[in-house]
Amino acid sequence: MFDRIGVEIEMDRVGVNDKGSIYDAVQYLYSKNLKKIGLVCALGDIGLGQERIEGYTRACKELGLPIDEDYLVVSKDIETVKSKLSHLLETREVEALIGLDFVSTLLTSRTIQQHKLNIPEDIKMIGYVNEDFASFLYPSISYVDQHPVQMGETAATMVINRIKKYSQKTPVKNIIKTELKHLDSTQFKN
């Protein structure tokens, strides 16, 4: 199983700690004195989406930040995500947004700008995009680096080892540590 470690199936798995990656993002933003942090998720509230939402809510609880339903923009339906995000930007003061997947990251960046808000001056942003793409956005988007090449290499090695050691019964689980990569969208004035 590649990049889906949260499922309870007895098989070899490689992926990242999805809860931990979002937890770290919220902790980072809070360390910069931001307290009105929202999330945007186009995955819905199952699977990876749920894992990442749980990381967000855990960080908020530990930091004493209120978990406001308006700050949780979650749906599988893109039009619903757009509508909820627009409502949030129009009615609430938001200091930072975290896009929990590729689509929500792009949508969040665009919607912020459509509301005549500036990244990073008005709203900081962290998303899930890959390093090859993040720097081409304007402004460039800070992102959670899941180290996809390392993940792929680890998965290939696991498959080869499984073939060579066919008699091994115990499934192997490899979790690769994520890393926040800071580009324009999380720049702070000194």
Side-chain angles (χ1 to χ4, degrees), residues 16-39:
V16 299
N17 181 346
D18 286 297
K19 285 181 194 177
S21 65
I22 297 303
Y23 177 91
D24 291 346
V26 173
Q27 289 276 351
Y28 170 78
L29 293 168
Y30 183 83
S31 77
K32 297 296 188 179
N33 205 29
L34 302 178
K35 297 186 176 48
K36 296 174 181 173
I37 305 166
L39 67 80

Side-chain angles (χ1 to χ4, degrees), residues 171-183:
V172 177
K173 182 177 180 179
N174 273 309
I175 298 175
I176 295 171
K177 177 93 173 108
T178 60
E179 183 179 357
L180 285 174
K181 297 288 188 169
H182 296 286
L183 301 177

Side-chain angles (χ1 to χ4, degrees), residues 39-59:
L39 67 80
V40 182
C41 180
L43 299 171
D45 59 359
I46 59 171
L48 283 178
Q50 184 60 42
E51 293 283 314
R52 294 173 184 174
I53 292 166
E54 287 176 21
Y56 169 86
T57 56
R58 187 176 120 225

Side-chain angles (χ1 to χ4, degrees), residues 25 27 32 81 100 103 127 146 160 180-181:
Q27 289 276 351
K32 297 296 188 179
V81 173
L100 299 190
V103 171
Q146 298 179 36
I160 291 167
L180 285 174
K181 297 288 188 169

Side-chain angles (χ1 to χ4, degrees), residues 27-90:
Q27 289 276 351
Y28 170 78
L29 293 168
Y30 183 83
S31 77
K32 297 296 188 179
N33 205 29
L34 302 178
K35 297 186 176 48
K36 296 174 181 173
I37 305 166
L39 67 80
V40 182
C41 180
L43 299 171
D45 59 359
I46 59 171
L48 283 178
Q50 184 60 42
E51 293 283 314
R52 294 173 184 174
I53 292 166
E54 287 176 21
Y56 169 86
T57 56
R58 187 176 120 225
C60 287
K61 285 177 185 174
E62 287 181 17
L63 296 169
L65 299 174
I67 300 171
D68 186 330
E69 288 299 317
D70 284 347
Y71 282 70
L72 298 170
V73 178
V74 178
S75 179
K76 288 185 203 176
D77 179 67
I78 298 302
E79 292 305 315
T80 301
V81 173
K82 284 183 193 177
S83 174
K84 285 181 167 186
L85 181 55
S86 287
H87 177 75
L88 172 62
L89 293 171
E90 291 165 4

Side-chain angles (χ1 to χ4, degrees), residues 85 89 97 105-123 125 137-141 185:
L85 181 55
L89 293 171
L97 288 167
T105 298
L106 297 180
L107 177 63
T108 300
S109 175
R110 181 178 176 96
T111 304
I112 289 170
Q113 294 176 54
Q114 286 174 332
H115 281 78
K116 308 292 187 236
L117 297 167
N118 295 310
I119 303 168
E121 294 84 0
D122 300 320
I123 297 179
M125 188 176 163
L137 296 170
Y138 183 78
S140 60
I141 301 297
S185 68

